[in-house]
Amino acid sequence: GSLEELFLNNNPIKNIDFCENGHFPSLRELHLANSSISNWSSIDNLQTFPKLKNVTVIRLPLYENSESIFSMKSERNRRALVITRCPNIDILNSAEVLASERADAEKWFVSRYGKVSLENENESELFKVRIATLTQRWKECVADSSEKSGSTSMSSNMIKIELRPVGATICGQNPQQRSVPNSLPITALKMVSARLFGLSAEKLILRAVIPELPVPEELEEKEILMTYASSDTTLLIILVDEK
């Protein structure tokens, strides 16, 4: 009952069960990097450990499941998903979870995935309760996401970006600053960037400089720009011409 830290990195463990009957009452840290966990219900169950505050969940098969709506390459989005599903976690993958980061993650999830997750029969009941709570907490985000498609006012839905080209053939070109709709798909941003700098969109890689990540992150084409930035910041996007 006094176990406080548990290291299961590189372990073939596939599931984390619902913690009940007083098991692991003192567990504060759980490290599961490069394990075999392939289902989100195991992540949901982390919140049932009463004192758990520090977890490591990187390089897991569940992030690569092509049949899941949560299959994504973005480390930032993966982190946001875990934060959303684990309200008790203070440190995730060795980085502190700030209150502002948690709020942003929850708002992003509710606006992008809340409704479809509630209707998904594969979601755990534990997480459906969590979704209902978050939907009520951030109900203005739900309203915003449903109204944006019919809205003609753009003033409050713009994001400032700076496009900075790098690479042997384009490094001499000056950065370009633009204000674009936060609902702009990344695929469209790639085409805009290609036209600005005379590049081939098919060979262009967009990487965003995000403060909480150690290296620039490649933008996922299926996402929209608001996934990576808010209206009160300027997002630095590095353009790489892939040869």
Side-chain angles (χ1 to χ4, degrees):
S2 60
L3 181 67
E4 295 186 0
E5 300 177 5
L6 185 57
F7 291 83
L8 296 173
N9 299 327
N10 304 302
N11 191 293
I13 183 171
K14 294 183 177 180
N15 294 288
I16 301 293
D17 292 333
F18 192 99
C19 183
E20 56 184 349
N21 299 325
H23 294 161
F24 301 102
S26 303
L27 187 65
R28 295 183 297 104
E29 296 187 24
L30 179 59
H31 302 280
L32 298 161
N34 204 35
S35 63
S36 298
I37 293 175
S38 58
N39 59 84
W40 282 100
S41 61
S42 289
I43 301 300
D44 298 334
N45 288 337
L46 294 177
Q47 65 182 287
T48 66
F49 292 78
K51 292 188 177 181
L52 187 62
K53 297 295 181 183
N54 183 347
V55 300
T56 304
V57 284
I58 56 176
R59 299 188 297 276
L60 304 183
L62 67 86
Y63 300 129
E64 309 294 340
N65 182 1
S66 60
E67 296 181 359
S68 170
I69 63 171
F70 301 129
S71 173
M72 53 186 65
K73 294 184 294 183
S74 166
E75 289 295 337
R76 189 189 193 203
N77 291 354
R78 293 174 179 180
R79 180 176 172 86
L81 280 171
V82 176
I83 289 172
T84 299
R85 302 180 90 113
C86 299
N88 54 319
I89 300 304
D90 292 334
I91 300 175
L92 175 60
N93 301 335
S94 301
E96 182 182 1
V97 178
L98 301 176
S100 57
E101 182 186 14
R102 182 175 297 283
D104 287 344
E106 292 175 355
K107 290 176 185 178
W108 166 75
F109 183 88
V110 167
S111 63
R112 295 282 286 164
Y113 297 107
K115 186 174 185 295
V116 68
S117 295
L118 277 174
E119 296 172 351
N120 186 353
E121 62 182 17
N122 293 323
E123 290 287 8
S124 68
E125 291 304 315
L126 186 65
F127 188 53
K128 287 185 177 182
V129 172
R130 174 85 178 132
I131 296 171
T133 300
L134 294 178
T135 300
Q136 180 62 30
R137 179 181 301 166
W138 305 115
K139 54 187 176 182
E140 73 277 7
C141 294
V142 179
D144 286 347
S145 63
S146 62
E147 292 172 1
K148 276 177 183 175
S149 59
S151 174
T152 58
S153 174
M154 300 290 291
S155 59
S156 63
N157 294 321
M158 304 294 282
I159 285 178
K160 291 176 288 185
I161 61 172
E162 179 176 317
L163 300 167
R164 184 174 299 176
V166 298
T169 61
I170 56 176
C171 62
Q173 301 194 44
N174 294 325
Q176 296 272 351
Q177 289 193 338
R178 290 288 187 273
S179 290
V180 296
N182 60 14
S183 58
L184 187 73
I186 299 304
T187 50
L189 178 61
K190 179 179 286 191
M191 289 187 288
V192 169
S193 304
R195 285 197 293 269
L196 281 172
F197 295 100
L199 304 172
S200 170
E202 290 75 18
K203 295 183 178 180
L204 197 63
I205 299 173
L206 304 187
R207 290 193 173 98
V209 177
I210 300 170
E212 59 263 34
L213 296 181
V215 296
E217 176 173 274
E218 183 175 346
L219 275 62
E220 288 195 68
E221 293 194 1
K222 69 179 182 179
E223 286 292 351
I224 60 177
L225 197 54
M226 68 180 296
T227 301
Y228 299 95
S230 60
S231 58
D232 60 350
T233 62
T234 298
L235 180 65
L236 174 59
I237 299 177
I238 299 173
L239 287 65
V240 181
D241 192 14
E242 188 179 46
K243 297 299 183 182

